[in-house]
Amino acid sequence: MRKIILAVLFLTLMASLLNAQDGLIERIRTYGGKNADGLIALLDEKHDERLEAIEFILENSSPFDLAVLTPELLLENVDFALKSRELPYTKDIPGDIFKHFVLPMRISQEPLVSWREQLYSELEPQVREAESLEEAMMIVSLWCAENVYFEPTSGRDQTPLTTMKRLFGRCEEIMILEIAAARSVGIPMRPVSAPYWNFMDNNHAWNEMWTTGGWKYLGPNGPTNNSADTWYSTRAGRSILILSHAFGKYESPELLEYDSHESLLNTTSTYGETIDYTIHVYDKDHEPVEEAEIIFYALSYGGLFPMLSLETDTDGILRVSLGRGSSFLTASKDDLLGWTMLNSFENGEEIEITLGTDHKIDGEFSFRFPAEPVTQSEPSEPILENWKMRNELSNLRREKKLADHRMRLREFLMFFDPAPEADESVDSYAERRDDFLAQCERLAGATDQFLKVYGASQSDSLKIDVLNHMMLSWNIKDLIEIPDSSSLQSIVEIFSENRDRYNVPDSVWFEHVVAPIFSSKPVPEDNWQPALYDRIKTLHRPEIMQTVEALHDWMNQSIVSDTTLTNQYFAGSLEPLQILDMRSISKRSQIFLFMYSLKYLGVPVRWKGHLEVWNGTAFQQYDLFEESDKQTELTPRTITVNVFADGKQVKAEPFGNFLLCSVSESGGMYYSYFDEEADSLSCKITWYPEAETIYNLQGYVRNENGDALLAIRDLSDETETDVALNLSAPSDMYDVSEEWDDDVVEEIIRIAEDAPAEGYRIVFLRSRENTEPEIRMLQEFESKSKILADKGIGFILYSEQGNREKAPEFVIHTKSKKFLNIEISDYPALFLVNDKNQIVFSSKGYRLGVSDLIIRKCK
């Protein structure tokens, strides 16, 4: 009987495995394009460690990666990942950690390229003698410092190899290079980010390294969880949400959600105090709503941006751990919507949202954030000897590489216009030339390939004009990403060949054919233009709109719309050839394919929140997803935005203090495209409203701590043409200085004057009871006693406990006498008195982080 049971279990397991493999093969055939057969053939390998690695990557690759993943790239990644396990310091890495954080070639949203063999070849000789993971990582970190330096740039991620070629990258691209380099020599690393800081208009990405002591972020001296080691750790401690991602299903206490072969991890507690929230979603009858989508929004760049989406359980409940601070929440299901504020300083840990039919959001919402902590911890000791000197050498080597490229800068001048254009002022010409040289200076590793193409084109004025306009209008990242001189030459030749095909004015052609459609190309540069043009050049027709329609018909025959595709973390952008090869593609990919095909056919195209093409005389709207004879014209709407801060009108700045949002049918709230026209302090914005879509205007003003008042104004009244946002900056966190009676103020000043101290003085009032809030706040200040002493800040403890008071050693003055009668709920009360004996700040009750705020105020 036992044998029969075991046999049944075995057959059941085998059937399950076969079904899983059948599903994988179907996915590969759907999205794998020309590589599908080769990838499927790899699944016939003998069942060993290599096959397990191949299966793991294929099972968890997004459809976008299956479209570009060749058998050769997959085998290179697997073989060199397994080879890295032979390095002595990797012996203690568990198999599960290796599988999720060393084996994957995908790091974030960078284009998928071959990087592992090259990085292994460069780094393995340097780390082979390392005695620990930590030592090996610091050697890798020195190598990274030699190959990349921080520079803000456009949003699309570049590959690790592009970063090395460019020698610059934004935070996420530095993270990508560091993780790729570490994984190439067997070191487990994972990406980490604050989707938005929330208390300021920015975000950040970094990495964490696995050690035998757990996950640690990487400081300049080594893996650490010491907040004194990195500039961003204290900032992360103020963030409401810090996230990480794992490739595949990774079992962890940090797991927030597993979806689409990705594990979303909540690492917020690594960086600061968290609160366990329970969020209840109800319908109008107060019945729990199962599978309601809850979106958490950050306040950044003028308004609200989604940073996390989760669903309620069968009881209509979502439990999530978040940092202290504020977030706007929407909950939705089946066209029903509800919203609320989450504010750790005002709300409890239980939050309720009721869904209704009204999608209009209007009102004012207060955002509060903890003060940035002032640490007195000492930085960790460096893991490597002579770390400082070695790091300086790495920086010097990087600077030498850049200097070598800059030596060629003068060679570019001979290709720039020798004199201003007609009707161009001398100042405008000088500014344009300076912009050109600045862009040339940043070409770094692409310098030679551009000079080669310039030299080959010097007798052709049109090609030189195309090159110069590319230099001035393309993002530097996209220019450097062009693989080589032949690729650049082919782009210039295709543009030039189609310059006069449709008699387009110069200004329109350069701006809407040569220049990017978006501020940065949403598709990578890997020499796709020649092959794409070979496929579409037969679509040219005598009239420009005939060409547009011919391209539209060709696309309908070449691709299939796939509405199941969604954005994923582990998925890079596809270029047009890859989109074509994938065949089953999203609407977004169809738009990119159509627009870039038009550009290389010589047809001007632009994006205004909708697609517009040049019809021969003007731009007209074009709906790619409607029949050509049923094209509908959207009607623009224009409003004038005026922003007032604390009663004074300030300049209305898109993505600075306001933006336009739409509420989707599913309930999410998202930034909506608009054109802007500044007029003194006002700003006119124009957009093309879609039918039955609700729009609102959002704006905010912050105080020094990052606290903000957000105003949301519903725009459903289509007759409204002027919208004013009247904003008031929140007072400093918990400041109640204006709320005290005169006799209390007088007594506090007298106490401060009696203290044997000069400069700033803190007066701390505690009640006759030894309460936990008072004890905690005193301990908070005691932990900052060295900082108080260094800054010369006196701390006065004024208590009603009389002789029972045991003052901490850092207190410079203690009073033990009956104090004024204030409400028991006001204790502990805190006052900051300046050197002129004026109260400049005061708070009531237990206030976490108030010590840091007060220290920052003592300037």
Side-chain angles (χ1 to χ4, degrees):
M1 184 66 175
R2 187 166 176 264
K3 290 182 178 180
I4 294 173
I5 294 173
L6 289 174
V8 171
L9 289 173
F10 175 77
L11 291 173
T12 302
L13 176 61
M14 290 302 296
S16 176
L17 291 173
L18 288 172
N19 287 336
Q21 192 171 69
D22 287 345
L24 173 58
I25 291 172
E26 183 180 351
R27 285 181 73 239
I28 295 173
R29 290 209 183 281
T30 301
Y31 301 111
K34 62 186 179 184
N35 298 315
D37 290 340
L39 293 174
I40 292 169
L42 294 180
L43 298 174
D44 291 333
E45 290 244 342
K46 65 178 182 180
H47 204 284
D48 59 7
E49 189 178 28
R50 192 187 199 210
L51 177 58
E52 289 179 9
I54 290 170
E55 288 180 332
F56 177 74
I57 291 176
L58 288 175
E59 286 167 357
N60 295 293
S61 290
S62 70
F64 308 96
D65 280 356
L66 291 175
V68 299
L69 188 58
T70 65
E72 295 76 18
L73 176 56
L74 177 55
L75 287 177
E76 176 200 302
N77 181 78
V78 167
D79 290 343
F80 275 89
L82 294 175
K83 190 176 180 66
S84 73
R85 300 208 76 179
E86 299 170 7
L87 291 162
Y89 56 77
T90 68
K91 64 181 184 301
D92 294 327
I93 299 173
D96 194 47
I97 294 294
F98 170 82
K99 182 172 69 172
H100 292 285
F101 303 106
V102 176
L103 175 61
M105 68 189 85
R106 165 63 65 204
I107 296 164
S108 185
Q109 293 94 47
E110 74 284 0
L112 204 61
V113 298
S114 169
W115 52 261
R116 199 178 283 268
E117 180 178 7
Q118 178 177 334
L119 297 186
Y120 177 87
S121 299
E122 290 200 32
L123 285 162
E124 189 274 339
Q126 300 184 45
V127 300
R128 62 170 62 139
E129 302 300 326
E131 296 181 358
S132 67
L133 277 170
E134 289 84 352
E135 183 182 343
M137 185 61 233
M138 294 318 294
I139 294 170
V140 170
S141 184
L142 285 170
W143 178 88
C144 290
E146 186 176 327
N147 284 281
V148 64
Y149 191 73
F150 174 76
E151 180 184 87
T153 185
S154 59
R156 181 175 61 81
D157 291 338
Q158 62 194 23
T159 73
L161 302 185
T162 300
T163 299
M164 292 169 61
K165 179 180 177 183
R166 184 178 161 216
L167 293 171
F168 286 101
R170 75 188 205 285
C171 57
E172 179 144 343
E173 290 156 345
I174 294 174
M175 174 202 80
I176 289 168
L177 177 62
E178 289 179 340
I179 293 178
R183 288 181 178 179
S184 74
V185 286
I187 302 170
M189 297 280 278
R190 68 184 185 184
V192 184
S193 66
Y196 294 94
W197 285 128
N198 214 354
F199 43 81
M200 63 182 297
D201 297 353
N202 216 319
N203 61 1
H204 189 49
W206 60 97
N207 55 54
E208 289 181 349
M209 171 188 172
W210 182 87
T211 71
T212 53
W215 288 98
K216 296 183 179 181
Y217 49 87
L218 196 65
N221 297 329
T224 182
N225 279 340
N226 178 1
S227 61
D229 285 349
T230 66
W231 66 268
Y232 59 79
S233 56
T234 52
R235 185 167 290 179
R238 303 181 69 204
S239 182
I240 198 167
L241 187 66
I242 305 293
L243 296 175
S244 180
H245 295 78
F247 189 80
K249 190 170 186 179
Y250 175 59
E251 299 296 342
S252 166
E254 300 172 321
L255 183 64
L256 265 177
E257 179 183 49
Y258 173 69
D259 184 47
S260 301
H261 306 281
E262 300 174 357
S263 297
L264 180 63
L265 309 174
N266 184 353
T267 67
T268 313
S269 61
T270 300
Y271 301 88
E273 180 187 8
T274 57
I275 298 173
D276 295 326
Y277 287 100
T278 302
I279 303 171
H280 303 262
V281 178
Y282 299 105
D283 62 18
K284 62 182 179 59
D285 299 319
H286 207 66
E287 293 295 325
V289 180
E290 180 183 356
E291 295 183 349
E293 181 187 26
I294 298 178
I295 300 178
F296 298 77
Y297 298 83
L299 190 65
S300 193
Y301 296 108
L304 296 173
F305 286 88
M307 58 179 175
L308 177 65
S309 173
L310 298 170
E311 289 189 351
T312 56
D313 61 18
T314 55
D315 297 319
I317 292 174
L318 172 65
R319 293 180 174 87
V320 61
S321 180
L322 300 171
R324 296 184 66 84
S326 300
S327 177
F328 191 88
L329 273 60
T330 60
S332 59
K333 186 178 182 181
D334 299 333
D335 295 330
L336 299 177
L337 176 68
W339 64 89
T340 192
M341 278 294 301
L342 179 150
N343 188 325
S344 65
F345 300 104
E346 297 174 7
N347 302 137
E349 298 172 7
E350 300 274 339
I351 294 174
E352 294 185 3
I353 305 177
T354 301
L355 304 186
T357 57
D358 189 359
H359 284 211
K360 298 177 183 178
I361 303 177
D362 196 288
E364 295 182 351
F365 306 90
S366 177
F367 283 72
R368 291 287 190 178
F369 303 101
E372 184 165 336
V374 179
T375 178
Q376 64 183 102
S377 303
E378 296 296 327
S380 305
E381 289 296 318
I383 289 175
L384 291 180
E385 293 184 10
N386 303 318
W387 163 257
K388 185 175 181 180
M389 181 187 70
R390 294 169 72 169
N391 191 49
E392 288 175 354
L393 284 173
S394 293
N395 291 331
L396 286 172
R397 292 190 189 102
R398 184 191 64 249
E399 288 302 316
K400 184 181 183 303
K401 292 178 185 178
L402 285 169
D404 291 344
H405 298 310
R406 288 167 181 155
M407 289 178 65
R408 313 288 306 278
L409 186 60
R410 289 191 176 186
E411 298 178 46
F412 284 96
L413 267 178
M414 64 180 293
F415 303 111
F416 195 72
D417 299 337
E421 297 176 351
D423 301 325
E424 183 181 25
S425 69
V426 173
D427 289 343
S428 176
Y429 168 76
E431 183 179 354
R432 186 163 57 88
R433 185 188 60 186
D434 290 345
D435 291 343
F436 171 79
L437 288 176
Q439 195 81 323
C440 295
E441 185 179 12
R442 299 166 68 205
L443 283 173
T447 299
D448 287 342
Q449 72 190 50
F450 272 82
L451 282 172
K452 183 176 180 179
V453 177
Y454 266 111
S457 306
Q458 59 185 330
S459 61
D460 190 322
S461 60
L462 173 59
K463 289 181 179 179
I464 293 295
D465 286 345
V466 168
L467 276 165
N468 286 347
H469 203 80
M470 288 176 64
M471 288 292 294
L472 286 166
S473 62
W474 284 34
N475 186 281
I476 189 65
K477 180 188 300 182
D478 301 313
L479 292 171
I480 291 175
E481 198 173 37
I482 298 171
D484 48 41
S485 57
S486 62
S487 303
L488 175 60
Q489 185 74 52
S490 65
I491 294 172
V492 174
E493 288 176 352
I494 294 170
F495 279 143
S496 301
E497 179 182 334
N498 291 287
R499 168 64 193 96
D500 294 323
R501 191 176 294 273
Y502 299 113
N503 194 30
V504 179
D506 274 356
S507 59
V508 175
W509 190 81
F510 279 104
E511 185 65 23
H512 299 288
V513 173
V514 178
I517 301 168
F518 307 97
S519 58
S520 174
K521 285 180 180 292
V523 301
E525 288 293 337
D526 64 358
N527 195 31
W528 49 266
Q529 286 89 345
L532 174 68
Y533 188 61
D534 281 344
R535 293 198 195 186
I536 63 176
K537 61 186 178 183
T538 58
L539 301 175
H540 280 301
R541 300 292 183 267
E543 300 295 330
I544 196 166
M545 290 308 295
Q546 292 174 346
T547 301
V548 173
E549 295 301 336
L551 176 64
H552 194 170
D553 292 340
W554 173 80
M555 270 188 51
N556 287 338
Q557 297 168 14
S558 303
I559 52 95
V560 176
S561 184
D562 189 338
T563 58
T564 66
L565 290 174
T566 58
N567 291 336
Q568 293 181 230
Y569 182 83
F570 292 118
S573 304
L574 302 185
E575 40 89 340
L577 281 182
Q578 294 166 342
I579 291 171
L580 274 172
D581 194 46
M582 186 177 179
R583 187 169 171 78
S584 296
I585 62 176
S586 65
K587 283 190 173 184
R588 183 170 180 265
S589 293
Q590 291 177 59
I591 291 171
F592 290 161
L593 174 60
F594 189 68
M595 295 180 81
Y596 283 102
S597 296
L598 285 176
K599 282 170 68 71
Y600 286 95
L601 287 170
V603 179
V605 60
R606 69 184 186 186
W607 183 257
K608 294 290 184 180
H610 59 269
L611 176 63
E612 292 187 353
V613 298
W614 180 261
N615 63 13
T617 57
F619 281 100
Q620 71 174 54
Q621 296 172 24
Y622 191 91
D623 191 339
L624 187 59
F625 307 105
E626 293 281 351
E627 297 296 332
S628 58
D629 59 347
K630 297 180 181 178
Q631 298 288 333
T632 56
E633 190 78 11
L634 297 174
T635 303
R637 181 179 176 189
T638 299
I639 62 173
T640 299
V641 180
N642 296 285
V643 179
F644 297 85
D646 299 319
K648 180 181 178 181
Q649 186 169 8
V650 296
K651 186 174 179 58
E653 299 182 79
F655 302 101
N657 54 22
F658 83 89
L659 57 76
L660 179 71
C661 276
S662 61
V663 183
S664 70
E665 292 181 2
S666 61
M669 192 159 40
Y670 304 97
Y671 153 69
S672 188
Y673 178 91
F674 58 88
D675 286 322
E676 60 184 91
E677 181 184 347
D679 179 16
S680 183
L681 295 178
S682 302
C683 183
K684 288 185 178 180
I685 65 171
T686 301
W687 75 102
Y688 294 80
E690 296 184 4
E692 299 181 3
T693 299
I694 292 176
Y695 296 86
N696 60 57
L697 190 72
Q698 302 178 358
Y700 60 80
V701 60
R702 295 189 188 274
N703 65 13
E704 292 181 359
N705 187 58
D707 306 325
L709 178 71
L710 166 72
I712 301 180
R713 295 289 175 258
D714 177 66
L715 299 176
S716 297
D717 182 359
E718 297 183 2
T719 64
E720 190 173 26
T721 57
D722 292 270
V723 178
L725 296 172
N726 293 292
L727 308 169
S728 298
S731 60
D732 280 334
M733 187 171 66
Y734 315 123
D735 190 0
V736 296
S737 300
E738 303 298 323
E739 298 182 15
W740 299 105
D741 293 335
D742 290 343
D743 57 344
V744 173
V745 171
E746 291 171 6
E747 184 69 9
I748 294 299
I749 292 174
R750 186 192 63 76
I751 293 169
E753 288 174 333
D754 289 346
E758 299 177 356
Y760 284 95
R761 286 141 293 168
I762 298 169
V763 180
F764 186 95
L765 269 59
R766 67 180 304 177
S767 66
R768 66 178 64 233
E769 302 298 329
N770 203 19
T771 65
E772 181 178 348
E774 294 173 2
I775 294 171
R776 283 183 176 273
M777 281 188 71
L778 275 174
Q779 289 174 340
E780 181 181 325
F781 278 100
E782 188 171 14
S783 71
K784 309 289 171 56
S785 58
K786 185 177 183 302
I787 298 173
L788 295 176
D790 290 344
K791 287 181 172 287
I793 304 170
F795 191 95
I796 303 166
L797 179 62
Y798 197 97
S799 172
E800 293 184 5
Q801 294 189 26
N803 294 331
R804 293 181 294 117
E805 180 64 69
K806 295 181 180 179
E809 291 184 4
F810 78 97
V811 172
I812 61 128
H813 194 51
T814 305
K815 285 282 185 178
S816 300
K817 110 182 210 183
K818 178 72 176 176
F819 187 58
L820 296 173
N821 185 26
I822 65 173
E823 297 292 330
I824 191 65
S825 59
D826 290 343
Y827 289 109
L830 193 77
F831 299 84
L832 177 63
V833 181
N834 66 12
D835 54 358
K836 298 178 182 178
N837 291 321
Q838 299 168 323
I839 295 175
V840 295
F841 177 84
S842 178
S843 72
K844 298 178 180 179
Y846 176 56
R847 299 303 187 197
L848 178 74
V850 73
S851 62
D852 301 321
L853 181 64
I854 284 183
I855 290 170
R856 290 212 313 275
K857 285 182 172 294
C858 299
K859 300 177 182 178

